[in-house]
Amino acid sequence: MMSRSICMPVLALTVYCISVGNVCAQAASEQPRSLDSRIKIELFADSPQIVTPTGIDVDAKGRVWAIESNTHFPPEGYKRHPTDRLLVFESATGGGKAKSVTMFTDGLTHAMSVAVRPTGDIFVATRKAIFVFRDDDGDLHPDAARKQIMLLDTPGDYPHNGLAGFAFDAIGFMYFGCGENLGANYKLIGSDGVTLSGGGEGGNIYRCRPDGTQLTHWATGFWNPHASCVDAFGNLFTVDNDPDSRPPCRLLHIVPDGDYGYRFRNGRKGIHPFTAWDGELPGTLPMVAGTGEAPSGIVAYESDGLPDDYRGELLVTSWGDHRIDRFRLEPKGVSYTSQARAIVSGGEDFRPVGIAVAPDGSLFCTDWVLKEYKVHGQGRIWHISPVEQRQRPVVELDKVAGRPLPELNELLKSPRIEVRRAAAEALGTTIEGMELLATTRAQVAAPSRTSREIDWANTRQQAKSLGPLPQLSHDSEFENPRPIRLRNIGLHRPLVTKGLDQISGDDFHDPFVYRTVMLLLAGTWDEKTFIRRCNPDATPHQPTRLMFFLAARRKNPRFVEIVERGLSDPDPTIRKWAVQWVGEEKLAHFRPALEATLAQGAVTAELFEAVLAALEVLDGVTKKSSDEFSGAQYVLAILRDEKRPAALRARALAMLSPSAKELDAKLLEALLATSDRALKLEAVRTLQQSPLAAAGELLDKVAADTALDNELRAEAIVGLAPRARSCGKGGEPRQMLMRLVESSEPSLRIESLRSLRGLAADDPDVASCLTRSAAALAESGAEDTAAEKQLTDQIAMAFGADRGRWPPQLAERVTKRPATTDDWLKATAGEADAAAGRRIFFHSNGAACYRCHTVSGRGERIGPDLSVVARTMNRRKLTESILEPSKEIAPQFVAWTLVTKAGLTHSGLIVSETREGRIQLATSDAKVIDLAADEIDQRVQQKISIMPEKLVEQLTVGEFRDLLAFLETLK
C-alpha cells in the first residue's frame, strides 16, 4: 500500500485557499518565475551535480547543504550513487551558480532532512534514524563516525513517512516529525534510552534536546508533518503533507499536547466519523490555512535579504502545485489564520521540496523536477534573492560571542533571528526581568535564564502570577506583528479548580483555549469530581459538560462510570463523543449500550454514524478498503427489522443512498405503508431522488392521498418535479401537478407551482393552468396575505423571466426583489416556514442545494456539509454566503479549471484523487467528471466559487426567507 507523498505525490492537484491570481501550470519545460517583481529566481545547481534532492540548509558561511536521494524507489538499472548523500555547494564570490560540490557523507538510506546549526552540529533525518555529524576542522568531511541520536524501530519501511523535518527553538530544544508510518507499530528511542511507542494513531511531532535526550511527545493527529519551523516568538508551525481525498493539505500551529485530528487506523480518506481534518471534532485543533499539494518545506522568514514585508511571514514549498508561497499570519482567537500568495510559480517540472534561508537573507530550495516517485537522475537547486541587492556586511555568527557588551546589545536588534539568538546567548544572564520577554523581537530573543527554563506546560500553570504578555503593535519594524497570546492565556490551576464561569463564553468557541482548559482539568481534578460535573444537573452548559467528558477520558481512558453517563446524556453531541470513546478504546462490554444509545432522545446523523463506526471496530469488521466507512451492513439490518424503533429505522433509511440497490420498490412501498409518520416521511424523501421506475407512481399516490397530512404530500410533490420535466406533455406527473395547483391548501399549491417551473414555454396546458391561477389570485383581492404573495411570486417564477408572457394582472402584484444584502435581510425578516425551507433545499427547481451539500446524511458531499452550519454562521453570514458565494471560500472548496491535452475544458471542485491516477471533478450542475491525471495539460485556480453567483435569482423572496429559516435550525 502506498503512502501518497511526503514530498512527491503521484497527483498534483488540490483545492487551495489562496489568492494567487490566474496562475496556470506552465509547460513542463518552462523555468520557474518570480511573481513578485522585487525578487528573482536563478538556477544555482543542476544535474548531474545533484539529482532528486530532498532536504536543504545553508550554513553560517553561506554554503548550501543538500541531500541527494538515490534510494527512494530506484528503478531497475539505476546508475547513480547506490546510497543517499549529503552534498555541500559553494558559490563564487558575488553569487551565481555553484562553483564546487563536495560530498560530505554518503551511506544514507531514505534521507529526508538536514539542519546545519551554529553550534557546528549537522543533523540528518532518515526514515528510521536521526544522525549528528561534526566538522570542527572545516574540511567538509565528518570528523568522526556519525552519531545516532534517535531510532525509529518499526517494520514500516515506506521511504518518506517516517522521521523528517527539523525545527529549533530559542531555549535549546529540537523538534522533528514522524509520518503515519502506514499504521505500523513503532518504538521511538532517544539517545538516553527514553522510549515512546504507538501505531495507527497517525503522524506525530516530538521534542528533544539536540543530543537526543529528554525525548517527549509534543503533538499528534497528522498525516505527515514533513517540515516544521519556529518563528521569532516561539510559535511552532508545521506543514502536513497529504490529505488524501480530503484536501487541502494543512499549515498548522502546533501547541503542546495538540491533537490535529487525523487517525491512520480510521482509514485514509479522512471521512471517518472519528477523524477530523480542520478541528471538526471536540478537542481537536484546526488548520491555520490550506496549502498547495504536498507542502514539503517551511521557514519562518526572519532576515533582511528579501523586502521588509516578508519579515515574520512563513514561506512554504508546494511540490504538487509547483509553487513557493508566503503566509502572513493574522490573529484568530489565541492562534492564527492566514491566506497565501504565491511568490514563485513553475511548470510541471518545478517540484520544490526543501527551503532554507541564507545568511544574506536570500533563499535556496531544492527541486525534485519530475513527478516520478522513483529516483530519475534529474534535480536542481534554485536561488531566490532580491532584484536590488542590499549592500551591508553579513554578521559572522562564530564571532558574535567575543564582541563587547554595547555591540551585543545592538545585535539584539538584528533582523536575522540567528544573530539575535547568538547575541542573547553571549549576553547570558545580564538581561534581567520578565518584562523583557515580549516587547520586541530583540527581547524575545534574549529572555533571562530563569524564564528560559520555564517549560510551556509550567508556564500556563503560572500564567496568573506572571500576568498576560503585553499586546504588541507595529511601532517599529522589529516589533512583533502579532501578539503572543497562546503561551499565557490567563488560565491556571486555581482558576480551573474554583470555577469555569470565569472563562468567557467566547473562550469555548476557541478550540485552542478549549483544549488547554480540558488538559488542565485532566491533570487537576479527581475522578469523583468528574462524575459529579459530568451530570447535566450539575453542569447544564453543554460545552462545559462536554469539556469534562473530554478531560475524564484523558484522565482515565477506561473511566467506566463516565462512559455510562455519556452514553445516556440527553445531548446527542455528548452521546456521540461517548460512542467514539467506546469505539476507539475498544470497550467491548459497552456494545449492547451502543444500540440502546440510538433509541434515546434526539438521534443526529453524526451520532448514528458514530455508532455504526464503533460497531465496526468492536465487531472487527473487515472492510473492502481501509479507506472506506459505510456501516451499510448495520444500516440495512436496522431498516429491515420491523421490531426496531421506527425513529431508528428512519435514521437508517436517511443514511442510505436513494440509488442503493437494496432499496427496491417492494421495500419502499412497505415503508410507505407504515403507520409511523417519521419513517413514512423518510421513505418519501428517498423516493424524491430514487432512480426506480416505480418511484413516480408511488409519489403520485402520496401526493394525491388527502388522508395524509399536507407536509407529507408536499414532500411527494418535490419528487414529482424532475419527473414532470422528463415525462413530456400530457404526462401523469404534469397532470397531477396541474390538479394540485387548484388545491385549496396553499402549501400544496406553492409546491406544485415550483415543480412546474420552466414547463410553460413548451406546454400550453401548463401555461393555461398558470394563467388561470394568476386570474384567480387577482379576483380574490387577497394580495396582502403571506400565502397569496407567495403564490403570486411562484406563478411569476413558473412563467419565467420573460415578463412579456405574464398575464397583465400578475406583473403589478409580484414582490419587488431586494438589491443589497441589507435589503434582503430586511425583506426576509419575520415569520418563516423552516419545513418549507427544507423542501426548497432539496427541490430540483430553484436552489437545488442538495446537489452539492449534505444535511443530516442526505445530499451530495461536493460542497461543505451544512448539518450544523448555524453553529458558526449567523443570519447575515448565511445571507451573504448565498448572495456572494465567492466573497469567502473555504480552503477545501476552491474551484479549478482543468484543460486536457485534447483541448477540453472542465471547471469545478476536485472531490477525489486516486492512486490509480484518476481525478473526479464536480461541476456547478452537480455532475462528476472522471479524468485521467496524465491527460491534464493545464490547471487554473478560480477566484469564483463553484456555487452559482446568481443563485438567488432562482428563488422568490418568500423562498429565500424559508430557506434561511431552515438553515438557522441546523445547529
Side-chain angles (χ1 to χ4, degrees):
M1 184 164 53
M2 179 181 290
S3 171
R4 208 187 53 121
S5 99
I6 278 192
C7 67
M8 53 290 281
V10 173
L11 300 171
L13 286 173
T14 189
V15 284
Y16 188 12
C17 185
I18 62 173
S19 176
V20 295
N22 276 343
V23 181
C24 299
Q26 293 93 343
S29 60
E30 184 177 340
Q31 299 297 296
R33 60 189 178 91
S34 170
L35 302 179
D36 184 336
S37 61
R38 300 169 297 171
I39 64 176
K40 60 185 178 181
I41 180 167
E42 300 171 301
L43 187 64
F44 176 71
D46 198 357
S47 57
Q49 291 173 304
I50 190 169
V51 298
T52 46
T54 53
I56 190 172
D57 202 1
V58 185
D59 66 19
K61 298 181 183 296
R63 298 175 298 193
V64 177
W65 300 63
I67 293 173
E68 178 183 86
S69 176
N70 293 295
T71 62
H72 192 282
F73 298 128
E76 186 177 352
Y78 184 65
K79 303 296 185 181
R80 294 285 301 191
H81 201 76
T83 65
D84 295 348
R85 307 189 294 175
L86 179 56
L87 305 176
V88 185
F89 298 80
E90 297 182 82
S91 62
T93 303
K97 292 186 177 181
K99 70 172 184 178
S100 66
V101 184
T102 303
M103 186 181 75
F104 180 77
T105 191
D106 65 351
L108 303 168
T109 301
H110 300 156
M112 298 306 303
S113 305
V114 59
V116 185
R117 303 299 296 152
T119 59
D121 290 327
I122 301 154
F123 296 89
V124 174
T126 67
R127 192 209 187 281
K128 291 192 175 184
I130 295 176
F131 301 102
V132 179
F133 300 85
R134 298 284 303 186
D135 179 26
D136 293 327
D137 58 12
D139 64 353
L140 294 183
H141 294 286
D143 292 341
R146 66 192 187 190
K147 179 181 180 182
Q148 179 179 289
I149 62 169
M150 198 66 57
L151 172 66
L152 180 63
D153 183 5
T154 178
D157 60 358
Y158 194 75
H160 58 246
N161 63 353
L163 304 180
F166 294 115
F168 300 83
D169 65 22
I171 57 175
F173 285 99
M174 179 175 80
Y175 303 82
F176 62 92
C178 182
E180 35 75 30
N181 197 39
L182 293 180
N185 292 332
Y186 67 87
K187 290 181 179 179
L188 185 64
I189 306 168
S191 61
D192 56 359
V194 172
T195 301
L196 304 176
S197 60
E201 76 276 15
N204 300 282
I205 289 178
Y206 300 92
R207 188 181 82 162
C208 66
R209 288 294 183 183
D211 61 0
T213 62
Q214 300 181 34
L215 174 65
T216 56
H217 182 265
W218 203 246
T220 193
F222 311 100
W223 183 295
N224 276 322
H226 183 59
S228 301
C229 68
V230 176
D231 73 1
F233 313 106
N235 294 301
L236 177 65
F237 297 94
T238 197
V239 282
D240 201 8
N241 189 267
D242 200 324
D244 205 5
S245 64
R246 192 174 182 173
C249 297
R250 306 182 289 178
L251 170 61
L252 299 167
H253 179 196
I254 309 303
V255 296
D257 276 322
D259 182 351
Y260 296 84
Y262 176 75
R263 300 287 185 272
F264 180 89
R265 64 173 64 94
N266 293 341
R268 309 190 61 172
K269 285 188 175 180
I271 62 173
H272 194 279
F274 300 163
T275 293
W277 194 245
D278 193 18
E280 297 90 348
L281 297 178
T284 63
L285 300 176
M287 67 179 80
V288 171
T291 73
E293 174 72 10
S296 305
I298 182 173
V299 295
Y301 190 77
E302 288 289 334
S303 194
D304 59 351
L306 302 184
D308 290 342
D309 51 292
Y310 279 73
R311 194 170 303 133
E313 296 191 338
L314 306 179
L315 305 179
V316 175
T317 62
S318 170
W319 187 96
D321 282 322
H322 325 291
R323 291 186 178 120
I324 301 174
D325 304 300
R326 56 188 293 198
F327 291 81
R328 182 166 183 81
L329 300 171
E330 300 293 339
K332 183 179 181 181
V334 299
S335 185
Y336 307 102
T337 187
S338 186
Q339 287 190 341
R341 289 172 290 166
I343 61 172
V344 172
S345 178
E348 185 71 18
D349 289 347
F350 177 55
R351 303 277 174 171
V353 182
I355 187 169
V357 182
D360 65 358
S362 63
L363 303 170
F364 287 87
C365 76
T366 52
D367 180 1
W368 186 265
V369 179
L370 301 182
K371 70 177 182 179
E372 301 297 330
Y373 254 52
K374 296 179 179 180
V375 290
H376 46 65
Q378 295 192 47
R380 297 180 293 202
I381 299 175
W382 297 95
H383 186 209
I384 302 165
S385 61
V387 172
E388 297 183 6
Q389 297 291 335
R390 298 184 178 187
Q391 300 300 319
R392 75 269 188 259
V394 176
V395 176
E396 297 182 43
L397 296 182
D398 58 355
K399 297 180 181 179
V400 168
R403 296 199 178 197
L405 183 61
E407 291 187 18
L408 290 176
N409 279 319
E410 192 64 26
L411 289 177
L412 287 175
K413 301 176 184 179
S414 170
R416 289 177 58 197
I417 189 172
E418 65 270 22
V419 172
R420 298 199 300 272
R421 287 181 175 178
E425 191 67 30
L427 283 165
T429 59
T430 63
I431 298 178
E432 299 178 351
M434 290 293 289
E435 70 277 4
L436 296 177
L437 265 174
T439 56
T440 68
R441 279 178 161 79
Q443 290 161 334
V444 170
S448 69
R449 183 171 301 279
T450 299
S451 68
R452 289 168 63 191
E453 291 173 355
I454 296 177
D455 184 77
W456 197 97
N458 194 30
T459 299
R460 63 189 176 194
Q461 302 254 348
Q462 301 182 24
K464 188 68 175 180
S465 60
L466 294 177
L469 295 176
Q471 301 294 299
L472 305 180
S473 65
H474 292 273
D475 292 341
S476 81
E477 65 175 315
F478 298 116
E479 287 196 346
N480 188 349
R482 52 191 182 272
I484 305 175
R485 292 170 295 174
L486 187 61
R487 202 166 289 190
N488 288 320
I489 60 175
L491 302 173
H492 69 310
R493 187 181 299 269
L495 173 61
V496 173
T497 56
K498 289 182 179 179
L500 290 172
D501 56 339
Q502 298 176 53
I503 303 174
S504 73
D506 289 341
D507 289 332
F508 285 99
H509 299 294
D510 189 311
F512 287 83
V513 175
Y514 194 87
R515 182 168 178 82
T516 299
V517 178
M518 181 272 288
L519 293 171
L520 289 172
L521 287 171
T524 303
W525 285 27
D526 58 42
E527 295 191 354
K528 289 183 179 179
T529 306
F530 278 120
I531 292 173
R532 178 175 62 84
R533 293 305 300 266
C534 288
N535 188 319
D537 294 331
T539 313
H541 185 232
Q542 186 265 9
T544 306
R545 193 162 77 254
L546 178 58
M547 182 184 291
F548 290 135
F549 277 98
L550 293 169
R553 180 180 174 186
R554 176 85 178 191
K555 182 86 172 182
N556 178 4
R558 308 193 79 79
F559 202 154
V560 174
E561 296 92 336
I562 298 297
V563 175
E564 291 174 343
R565 181 154 289 179
L567 291 174
S568 61
D569 193 278
D571 183 82
T573 301
I574 292 178
R575 296 209 305 278
K576 175 187 180 296
W577 168 247
V579 167
Q580 182 173 341
W581 186 345
V582 169
E584 290 184 328
E585 300 296 341
K586 298 184 179 180
L587 305 179
H589 56 288
F590 281 109
R591 192 191 187 290
L594 291 181
E595 294 188 14
T597 299
L598 294 175
Q600 176 193 355
V603 178
T604 63
E606 293 80 10
L607 172 58
F608 193 79
E609 288 184 356
V611 170
L612 299 181
L615 288 173
E616 285 188 342
V617 173
L618 297 183
D619 294 348
V621 173
T622 301
K623 291 166 282 199
K624 294 181 180 179
S625 166
S626 63
D627 292 340
E628 299 293 334
F629 161 73
S630 66
Q633 66 273 37
Y634 303 106
V635 170
L636 287 168
I638 291 171
L639 178 62
R640 288 169 172 161
D641 188 352
E642 295 182 2
K643 296 181 181 179
R644 297 272 191 171
L648 187 60
R649 297 178 69 201
R651 174 58 65 190
L653 179 56
M655 276 200 68
L656 285 170
S657 168
S659 59
K661 64 179 185 299
E662 293 84 1
L663 293 177
D664 56 28
K666 182 178 180 181
L667 175 57
L668 288 170
E669 189 169 11
L671 294 174
L672 285 176
T674 182
S675 60
D676 183 82
R677 184 185 181 282
L679 185 52
K680 190 190 297 285
L681 179 61
E682 286 303 331
V684 172
R685 289 172 175 172
T686 298
L687 285 166
Q688 287 174 358
Q689 300 171 39
S690 172
L692 292 174
E697 181 180 347
L698 293 173
L699 288 170
D700 277 347
K701 290 180 180 179
V702 175
D705 191 347
T706 57
L708 296 175
D709 64 71
N710 288 327
E711 184 181 3
L712 276 169
R713 297 178 69 192
E715 291 282 350
I717 294 171
V718 172
L720 291 177
R723 292 167 174 84
R725 185 171 297 279
S726 62
C727 72
K729 300 175 185 179
E732 179 53 34
R734 293 193 187 189
Q735 297 299 318
M736 171 65 72
L737 292 173
M738 286 188 284
R739 288 194 295 270
L740 290 170
V741 167
E742 310 293 336
S743 169
S744 60
E745 171 53 45
S747 64
L748 300 183
R749 294 175 68 186
I750 288 171
E751 289 301 335
S752 299
L753 288 167
R754 185 181 296 125
S755 297
L756 286 171
R757 286 182 190 175
L759 302 180
D762 300 321
D763 192 330
D765 290 340
V766 172
S768 177
C769 174
L770 298 178
T771 301
R772 290 196 305 273
S773 296
L777 279 175
E779 293 173 3
S780 72
E783 69 273 11
D784 291 332
T785 68
E788 298 295 337
K789 284 183 178 180
Q790 286 228 46
L791 284 168
T792 299
D793 293 345
Q794 286 294 339
I795 294 170
M797 192 71 75
F799 268 115
D802 183 3
R803 298 174 69 93
R805 299 175 56 248
W806 291 3
Q809 64 269 39
L810 184 64
E812 61 189 36
R813 298 166 61 91
V814 173
T815 304
K816 182 179 179 181
R817 298 181 70 80
T820 67
T821 298
D822 287 337
D823 291 340
W824 276 103
L825 285 168
K826 183 177 180 180
T828 57
E831 186 176 351
D833 186 346
R838 188 196 183 283
R839 293 196 293 273
I840 294 163
F841 187 98
F842 286 96
H843 206 292
S844 60
N845 290 349
C849 312
Y850 73 95
R851 289 175 177 165
C852 292
H853 300 284
T854 299
V855 167
S856 299
R858 289 198 179 274
E860 298 296 333
R861 299 181 183 271
I862 295 172
D865 187 319
L866 302 182
S867 300
V868 291
V869 66
R871 290 184 187 176
T872 56
M873 298 180 73
N874 58 26
R875 187 177 184 83
R876 173 173 285 275
K877 291 289 289 183
L878 288 169
T879 301
E880 288 177 345
S881 70
I882 298 172
L883 297 179
E884 303 176 76
S886 299
K887 182 177 181 180
E888 186 175 337
I889 307 174
Q892 59 270 47
F893 301 112
V894 172
W896 291 83
T897 293
L898 307 183
V899 181
T900 69
K901 294 176 180 178
L904 300 176
T905 299
H906 306 282
S907 295
L909 294 179
I910 298 170
V911 295
S912 176
E913 304 175 27
T914 71
R915 294 177 180 82
E916 291 74 31
R918 308 298 300 181
I919 296 175
Q920 288 189 322
L921 190 78
T923 63
S924 59
D925 57 357
K927 296 179 179 178
V928 177
I929 300 171
D930 186 78
L931 301 168
D934 59 7
E935 288 301 312
I936 295 171
D937 183 51
Q938 293 183 358
R939 58 182 177 274
V940 182
Q941 181 186 339
Q942 298 297 307
K943 294 182 179 180
I944 298 175
S945 170
I946 189 176
M947 184 172 167
E949 288 286 336
K950 297 182 179 180
L951 180 65
V952 71
E953 294 182 3
Q954 308 303 315
L955 300 172
T956 68
V957 174
E959 287 176 331
F960 197 99
R961 180 189 302 115
D962 291 341
L963 179 60
L964 286 177
F966 169 62
L967 294 175
E968 287 181 302
T969 68
L970 303 178
K971 298 180 179 179

